Amino acid sequence: MTGNVSTLASGLHEGHLELVLSCCGLILAFVAGAVLSALLVNAGRRRHLASIYAR
């Protein structure tokens, strides 16, 4: 992700709108995946499932 954030900053500085939007999409997808993963693991813990990390 650090490379994407660096590319985002560079794109902002140079005014490349397509590059900025692409990097924002990648970062948003990464954050959304992390949030979804945390929600699924926590839901498994609340239900006392033995295989919460394998779903």
Side-chain angles (χ1 to χ4, degrees):
M1 282 288 95
T2 56
N4 291 325
V5 174
S6 296
T7 304
L8 172 67
S10 178
L12 280 172
H13 177 71
E14 296 172 2
H16 297 285
L17 182 61
E18 291 174 2
L19 183 62
V20 169
L21 293 176
S22 174
C23 288
C24 285
L26 288 170
I27 294 168
L28 180 65
F30 177 80
V31 171
V35 168
L36 180 61
S37 176
L39 290 173
L40 289 172
V41 168
N42 286 332
R45 284 183 180 168
R46 279 193 303 273
R47 291 183 174 90
H48 303 291
L49 297 177
S51 61
I52 59 174
Y53 298 108
R55 297 229 172 230

